[in-house]
Amino acid sequence: MGNVTVKNVDRIKQTLWEKSYIPEILRGLSVTTSHFFRNLNPNKEKRTIFTREYPEVITEYPERYRGLHRLMLRDDGQVRCVACMCCSTICPADCIHIEAGEHDDPTIEKYPTVFVIDELRCIVCGLCVEACPCDAIRMDSGRHIPPSLERDEAFFDRDLLMELGGLSEAKQGGQR
Amino acid sequence: MAEILLSVVKIAVIVFGFVMLVASLMTLLGDRKQSAKIQNRIGPNQARFFGFSLAGIPHFLADGIKMILKENVTPAQSNKFLHTIAPGLVFVPALVGWAVVPFMDHYCTGTVQTLPQMNYTEVCVGGEWKNYFSIMHFNSGLLFAFAIAAVSVYGAAIAGWASNSKFSLLGGLRSSAQMISYEVSMGLSLAGVLMIYGTLNLNEMVRMQGNMFGDWLPMWGVVVQPLAFFLFFLAGLAETKRAPFDLPEDESVIVAGYITEYSSMKFAMMQLSEYAATVFIAALIAVIFLGGWQVPYVYADGIRFLDNHWVPFGEDAWYWISIFLRIGAMVFKILFLVWLQFMMRWTLPRFRYDQVMTLGWKILLPLSIANLFVTALVLAIL
Ligand code: SF4
Ligand code: SF4
């Protein structure tokens, strides 16, 4: 094995001014006091308060916030998912359950008869969105997963997920 | 009979009307709202009266109700008797000390005259001084205050020992070691002040602070003994066991120190007495170093600045105005010092225990002895 090398790190020497602590304590006090009085300003605009008053004021999530899943729709309102199982395969929490069924339209082949996401198990990693080959699942609904009292309530099935869905910008029919 | 009634009224007004009110409001305004403002937060505002948050005051009531309704747990192997009386042993000394704190000079039944030729001493002509504004007129008031402040450590030590918990025991030990170390420099830093004022009576001390240097500089304790003021303030912070000296309840190391095993109202009493002790130390500092009820240039018979003398609103009215001004000044000074102590608490990080001991024994103690020595030399030469 290699030699152990010692790297000497110079200690930053304190000056006598700093060692006496008092000027530094006063400096710290001036910082806290200025914050204290700034946040007592009757003009609320001038205060620097970062608290979000959450339930009263709903916070805007950033655009790429990973929220509740949604299943996208085809032009005719059917589910866009082709039940390829990519998402349920990659899902590290193993929380997507899909049962495929044969579609009447021969150009579509498969569609999910059952599509359930257990949102309690989901770790909100977003891998399912990355894995989907046809932009059928997204997490850009801008909502977080609602709290539930029963486990069953956290099972979001296909129709529920489709309610949040919308048309994809991707063109159908494979034209590029 | 009238005397007793007067004492009861004074106790009720000072202890319950002022000290307990300030101490319990401190739990909310000082601890939570002030820290929130410093840290750019809003602080508690969710408990509301009819939709108004009222600066968080309802939280204070909610806390009280919560404390009363909580289960009172006594650890199985603890010494039940001592565990139960310990909060009282902490609580009572925090209030008893107020007996000697003067909120205003004695009331003069005659007329008060200020003598500029005698260093602005106030004398009562054609009447006598009546003690209406401090609970007890006590010649060795300072000694009493100190004795009482020192006794409160028994409560902490007993609470720590009786809880039968390692954390509590450590907290109690830390608390007593800290109190003893800082009591020494606290007392020594005051020795210089005592030499200058030559009295142990707190009211007399405040009166002496109305004297002037060269007609314009009030002889406040902080002016004549700046180093002692600083030492006493630091030692006072350490005595009240508040951050940065809150080692006895160092939550990252020993959970909550000697109050670990306390719950319900017993816990509330422990906490409240800590706040009351903070207010008491603030009052002591105000009385000894910041001129107590003195307002500079305001005297009972008018305003005197250099050689000028005004009596606004006539003699009699002014006497009453000066009384209210002085009580207001005392209350303001106490509140300011409490505020400052809380500022320190939210500014400085906690010391390590060995640092606390080093600061106490190796820095504050030699400094206070040096201060005493220099003061004695100067007084001997003058
Ligand atoms: S976000 Fe991650 S854990 Fe949640 S369903 Fe998608 S792949 Fe699974
Ligand atoms: S959502 Fe996308 S990845 Fe998942 S099964 Fe449907 S098409 Fe495949």
Side-chain angles (χ1 to χ4, degrees):
Chain A
M1 301 300 268
N3 294 326
V4 177
T5 52
V6 178
K7 186 182 169 201
N8 281 319
V9 179
D10 285 334
R11 283 193 166 234
I12 299 172
K13 281 250 165 53
Q14 287 177 320
T15 56
L16 192 65
W17 177 261
E18 284 166 346
K19 258 192 208 158
S20 75
Y21 287 112
I22 295 145
E24 296 296 308
I25 288 176
L26 288 182
R27 216 152 62 94
L29 264 182
S30 75
V31 171
T32 43
T33 336
S34 72
H35 276 255
F36 178 72
F37 283 112
R38 186 172 343 125
N39 291 327
L40 280 183
N41 197 327
N43 181 356
K44 290 205 173 176
E45 297 288 306
K46 294 245 171 81
R47 298 183 186 178
T48 49
I49 286 195
F50 297 109
T51 308
R52 291 181 176 168
E53 293 197 65
Y54 168 61
E56 290 96 10
V57 183
I58 301 292
T59 317
E60 289 271 317
Y61 287 121
E63 211 177 323
R64 299 185 66 177
Y65 176 80
R66 294 202 289 266
L68 195 58
H69 299 85
R70 61 183 188 139
L71 284 179
M72 308 301 285
L73 306 178
R74 291 168 187 275
D75 295 344
D76 57 2
Q78 286 182 19
V79 69
R80 208 178 151 85
C81 170
V82 294
C84 70
M85 305 286 176
C86 283
C87 55
S88 69
T89 309
I90 200 160
C91 177
D94 202 8
C95 65
I96 307 181
H97 175 74
I98 304 171
E99 281 171 23
E102 196 160 347
H103 203 276
D104 298 338
D105 185 343
T107 59
I108 293 178
E109 274 188 40
K110 286 199 292 182
Y111 81 106
T113 50
V114 178
F115 190 110
V116 181
I117 300 181
D118 181 354
E119 297 284 6
L120 272 183
R121 280 182 72 168
C122 171
I123 58 167
V124 208
C125 64
L127 285 178
C128 50
V129 181
E130 300 290 328
C132 182
C134 53
D135 190 24
I137 188 167
R138 288 201 190 179
M139 299 180 78
D140 60 355
S141 55
R143 306 192 195 173
H144 51 237
I145 295 150
S148 45
L149 293 176
E150 301 283 334
R151 270 169 192 276
D152 298 353
E153 290 170 21
F155 294 156
F156 280 68
D157 66 9
R158 189 188 70 187
D159 297 337
L160 205 56
L161 293 167
M162 275 166 68
E163 271 175 28
L164 290 171
L167 293 181
S168 169
E169 280 161 31
K171 274 269 178 293
Q172 248 176 298
Q175 289 155 344
R176 298 186 183 234
Chain B
M1 194 58 210
E3 290 274 296
I4 296 175
L5 208 64
L6 185 65
S7 296
V8 170
V9 170
K10 284 191 290 194
I11 290 172
V13 171
I14 292 179
V15 172
F16 295 102
F18 180 71
V19 182
M20 291 306 286
L21 183 77
V22 173
S24 44
L25 277 184
M26 277 300 122
T27 60
L28 178 88
L29 294 180
D31 242 9
R32 294 197 259 156
K33 277 292 193 184
Q34 192 175 343
S35 67
K37 296 292 175 206
I38 292 167
Q39 296 159 357
N40 294 344
R41 295 181 286 114
I42 293 180
N45 65 350
Q46 293 299 306
R48 284 159 197 267
F49 264 142
F50 306 109
F52 295 102
S53 67
L54 300 177
I57 302 290
H59 270 271
F60 158 65
L61 298 175
D63 277 353
I65 295 171
K66 188 185 92 176
M67 286 294 181
I68 291 169
L69 294 183
K70 278 214 166 174
E71 189 192 352
N72 182 11
V73 182
T74 315
Q77 301 294 311
S78 66
N79 185 325
K80 295 254 163 22
F81 176 67
L82 289 180
H83 187 268
T84 310
I85 64 163
L89 287 182
V90 183
F91 193 61
V92 170
L95 299 183
V96 171
W98 285 92
V100 291
V101 175
F103 275 77
M104 170 48 210
D105 203 356
H106 299 328
Y107 179 77
C108 174
T109 48
T111 46
V112 183
Q113 275 182 6
T114 311
L115 307 172
Q117 63 276 18
M118 280 184 58
N119 232 337
Y120 295 91
T121 311
E122 291 181 338
V123 290
C124 184
V125 181
E128 49 179 338
W129 296 114
K130 291 265 189 203
N131 174 23
Y132 288 158
F133 299 105
S134 64
I135 296 176
M136 201 160 71
H137 183 68
F138 199 15
N139 274 334
S140 46
L142 189 61
L143 283 187
F144 177 78
F146 260 83
I148 291 298
V151 161
S152 74
V153 75
Y154 279 106
I158 287 176
W161 180 79
S163 297
N164 186 38
S165 149
K166 306 263 186 314
F167 296 126
S168 300
L169 186 60
L170 281 174
L173 284 179
R174 280 183 172 200
S175 144
S176 23
Q178 187 170 321
M179 286 286 255
I180 290 165
S181 321
Y182 282 83
E183 200 102 318
V184 177
S185 30
M186 217 174 172
L188 276 176
S189 70
L190 279 190
V193 183
L194 293 185
M195 266 193 239
I196 289 177
Y197 295 132
T199 173
L200 280 168
N201 184 333
L202 290 178
N203 195 40
E204 282 301 317
M205 246 184 215
V206 178
R207 273 201 205 190
M208 305 275 285
Q209 296 182 53
N211 295 354
M212 294 282 171
F213 269 138
D215 282 347
W216 62 273
L217 184 63
M219 253 179 69
W220 284 9
V222 63
V223 176
V224 291
Q225 288 273 294
L227 183 62
F229 168 70
F230 174 71
L231 296 175
F232 191 79
F233 186 78
L234 262 185
L237 267 185
E239 280 267 313
T240 53
K241 305 192 278 274
R242 311 295 301 169
F245 295 98
D246 61 347
L247 276 302
E249 42 195 84
D250 191 347
E251 69 271 352
S252 54
V253 181
I254 49 173
V255 191
Y258 61 95
I259 41 183
T260 306
E261 300 293 347
Y262 281 89
S263 49
S264 176
M265 268 325 261
K266 284 199 226 159
F267 171 79
M269 264 168 84
M270 292 281 208
Q271 286 283 324
L272 258 190
S273 48
E274 240 170 57
Y275 289 102
T278 309
V279 188
F280 182 59
I281 287 290
L284 271 191
I285 297 174
V287 164
I288 299 169
F289 290 101
L290 295 184
W293 39 261
Q294 296 277 8
V295 186
Y297 317 120
V298 170
Y299 294 94
D301 64 345
I303 300 173
R304 288 170 189 272
F305 184 61
L306 296 179
D307 284 336
N308 308 314
H309 182 203
W310 298 282
V311 187
F313 311 113
E315 295 258 335
D316 291 338
W318 177 256
Y319 188 41
W320 283 101
I321 293 174
S322 77
I323 285 178
F324 283 110
L325 268 180
R326 286 172 160 186
I327 293 177
M330 178 71 183
V331 170
F332 172 77
K333 282 169 191 172
I334 293 177
L335 291 184
F336 173 76
L337 284 167
V338 169
W339 175 83
L340 193 63
Q341 292 193 33
F342 276 99
M343 276 326 263
M344 296 288 271
R345 172 185 162 89
W346 295 114
T347 303
L348 300 177
R350 179 183 291 131
F351 288 108
R352 249 177 14 234
Y353 202 71
D354 62 317
Q355 290 171 328
V356 167
M357 286 294 136
T358 311
L359 181 69
W361 289 108
K362 288 195 183 162
I363 299 174
L364 292 193
L365 184 62
L367 271 181
S368 51
I369 292 176
N371 180 52
L372 177 62
F373 196 68
V374 171
T375 313
L377 262 184
V378 170
L379 279 183
I381 291 169
L382 284 182

